[in-house]
Amino acid sequence: MNPKATISTLPPSIRLSDEGLDAAVATVATNEYGEQKPVYIAAERALTIYLDRREIVTVMTLGTQPELLTLGWLINQRLVPDISAIKSIRVNWETESVAVTTHGAIEGLEEKLGKKTVTTGCGQGAMYGDMMAGIHKINMQAPRLDQSLIYAVLKSLNEHNDIYRQAGAVHGCALCKGTHILRFVEDVGRHNAVDAIAGYMQLKQITGEDKIFYTTGRLTSEMVIKVAQMGIPVLLSRSGATHMGLILARRVGVTLISRAKGRHFLVYTGADKINYDAIPVSKMHDRSETSSSKRTSSHGNAA
Amino acid sequence: MNPKATISTLPPSIRLSDEGLDAAVATVATNEYGEQKPVYIAAERALTIYLDRREIVTVMTLGTQPELLTLGWLINQRLVPDISAIKSIRVNWETESVAVTTHGAIEGLEEKLGKKTVTTGCGQGAMYGDMMAGIHKINMQAPRLDQSLIYAVLKSLNEHNDIYRQAGAVHGCALCKGTHILRFVEDVGRHNAVDAIAGYMQLKQITGEDKIFYTTGRLTSEMVIKVAQMGIPVLLSRSGATHMGLILARRVGVTLISRAKGRHFLVYTGADKINYDAIPVSKMHDRSETSSSKRTSSHGNAA
């Protein structure tokens, strides 16, 4: 089993429970030969967030890092300004709930909750409307980025997909500084993984400007918004991007690199910031790997 | 370009606009050789649903079948009982909105909206709490299913992933009767694709008991709930399942087949309903295809 995540150091002002659960559950499945075989399957748990005793939302999660998920979700949804507003986060799996208490009541909470727009679908997020409100103020300066660093990051990431390898049905996100993977999070909801990383950045007081954000999932509008709000100017994905994701990335100054796998990638915006210092030698060979037959067989990878 | 979807026949009682848009947008990306090349990228549009002039939700969608998406979303969320309650559905892309009018006001709408629980993440859905309420009444009798039919359905589906092939970043869902694909829908949100199929079933008055539901996405709790509510007893996915998806499938009597690709599949529940009439001959050969190196390289397919 993948060990549950634990939380090490904390700023003095916040108290967190440490109720991360195992990511995978053992079960038995029948394969195409009619044989029963033991398999692992990704956990999925409901976790209802209470903010100062008020029920806010129920998230479906793998459950490995519920405190960081809660913290990051509240901040990414702009319901709390930052970690200093929060006194404690306590998860109780028996009631499938997490109680968040603040130092003082959150100002304008009712108004924030009242204004919310709920979006659905895989490229979704609750309270999207509220989140969009802040996006126009963001104007990042994406750093120059070596192609060789992109390849090195992808190589480092290969060692960080334990739960997917074991049970599938999860998405992974990573916070990278150079080739160093500061945090890798997998969850059943790809937005949960982003939120847990936002929680981690808050907890460790890490800023985004010199980081790269990697995700196995698609670069939709909400993914770009969240990462921009986390101050991270480079977004790297093994999946594709949507047109609205691209429009938003251009607006806020995020370098958007998608379909990053092996030696391949496509830069949708920010291509002028890339230093092409590692152009693949065997051009013909590389291109043959992206033949249409391969594309066809990977339908469903858009994640 | 993939032609936009059009709606052909309607029951006399409902009026629908026909405002489906193109699924893909042309843009330019820079590849790993530093070369600019024209590519297609999946569209993503905001669509705000108004029910009898009341703002309900904003969904992010590809936008090809906005009327069916709206219809299916309202029914899957249990906000309207069925299509007979609806007078018209009119999409206006200039205001990114869809106006739904009913024959009479929806009874208890305020209460339904007030009770909502919003879930997030990829395995998400607005108003999940409300949806769970009906699940305990469902007890389906999954039909016997030939392994050869599973293979034939997968083969038929190969011709139905136009948008993914062109632009990526979408999920596909299909409603199948035998090997016949009655409807194939792609969308940026995988739950949107399910909802659009629910809308199609309502519009055509198609029942689910003799159908197979296919998805490129993961079988999470909400996917199982939606398909069960649509009365479809067989759920087939090329991706994995979550533990809560499995628990719910067992409870409602859905046959859950995941990782279905080529000759491979894993039956998580309902294996006794499968007639193993097409067990692959070359067992060793088949197994070598699922080697760990291949699993590793496909991280992010969990969709």
Side-chain angles (χ1 to χ4, degrees), chain A residues 7 30 80 95 110 114 130 172 181 184 266:
Chain A
I7 296 159
T30 305
V80 301
T95 55
E110 288 307 316
D130 221 5
I181 313 299
F184 188 89
L266 283 177

Side-chain angles (χ1 to χ4, degrees), chain A residues 139-169:
Chain A
N139 185 7
M140 285 188 284
Q141 294 302 318
R144 289 205 63 80
L145 186 65
D146 288 343
Q147 180 172 16
S148 54
L149 177 63
I150 297 173
Y151 291 157
V153 169
L154 292 175
K155 201 175 166 201
S156 297
L157 284 161
N158 273 340
E159 292 154 26
H160 285 268
N161 55 357
D162 294 342
I163 301 164
Y164 182 81
R165 259 194 291 247
Q166 185 180 47

Side-chain angles (χ1 to χ4, degrees), chain A residues 86-163:
Chain A
I86 297 177
K87 197 170 164 185
S88 67
I89 299 178
R90 297 186 181 281
V91 171
N92 182 341
W93 285 116
E94 281 186 24
T95 55
E96 294 186 335
S97 67
V98 49
V100 181
T101 54
T102 63
H103 290 291
I106 296 294
E107 215 171 303
L109 181 61
E110 288 307 316
E111 197 194 353
K112 283 177 188 167
L113 292 171
K115 271 201 304 190
K116 80 184 164 194
T117 307
V118 180
T119 68
T120 78
C122 216
Q124 70 77 44
M127 304 175 207
Y128 178 87
D130 221 5
M131 292 181 66
M132 277 294 278
I135 201 86
H136 300 287
K137 297 174 198 157
I138 300 174
N139 185 7
M140 285 188 284
Q141 294 302 318
R144 289 205 63 80
L145 186 65
D146 288 343
Q147 180 172 16
S148 54
L149 177 63
I150 297 173
Y151 291 157
V153 169
L154 292 175
K155 201 175 166 201
S156 297
L157 284 161
N158 273 340
E159 292 154 26
H160 285 268
N161 55 357
D162 294 342
I163 301 164

Side-chain angles (χ1 to χ4, degrees), chain B residues 53 61 65 81-82 84 122 135 144 151 157 188 195 211 245 252 273 293-294:
Chain B
R53 294 172 183 266
T61 174
Q65 305 181 39
D82 58 57
S84 69
C122 215
I135 201 85
R144 288 204 64 79
Y151 290 156
L157 285 161
V188 286
D195 289 338
K211 307 299 185 303
V252 298
K273 302 290 177 71
S293 64
K294 193 171 175 193

Side-chain angles (χ1 to χ4, degrees), chain A residues 30 32-33 35 42 44 57-58 118-119 122 147 171 188 218 221 238 242-243 264 267 283 286-287 299, chain B residues 30 32-33 35 42 44 57-58 118-119 122 147 188 218 221 238 242-243 264 267 283 286-287 299 302:
Chain A
T30 305
E32 66 270 18
Y33 301 103
E35 300 166 340
E44 186 190 5
V57 75
T58 298
V118 180
T119 68
C122 216
Q147 180 172 16
H171 274 297
V188 286
R218 285 169 296 158
S221 56
R238 62 175 290 131
T242 67
H243 190 229
H264 304 292
V267 188
K283 190 164 171 172
D286 263 70
R287 287 204 160 158
H299 186 218
Chain B
T30 305
E32 66 271 18
Y33 301 103
E35 301 167 340
E44 185 189 6
V57 76
T58 299
V118 180
T119 70
C122 215
Q147 180 173 16
V188 286
R218 287 168 296 160
S221 56
R238 64 174 289 129
T242 67
H243 191 228
H264 303 293
V267 188
K283 191 164 172 173
D286 263 70
R287 288 204 160 160
H299 187 217

Side-chain angles (χ1 to χ4, degrees), chain A residues 165-187:
Chain A
R165 259 194 291 247
Q166 185 180 47
V170 294
H171 274 297
C173 287
L175 180 69
C176 317
K177 183 176 181 178
T179 59
H180 186 49
I181 313 299
L182 299 179
R183 192 79 175 182
F184 188 89
V185 179
E186 291 177 287
D187 207 324

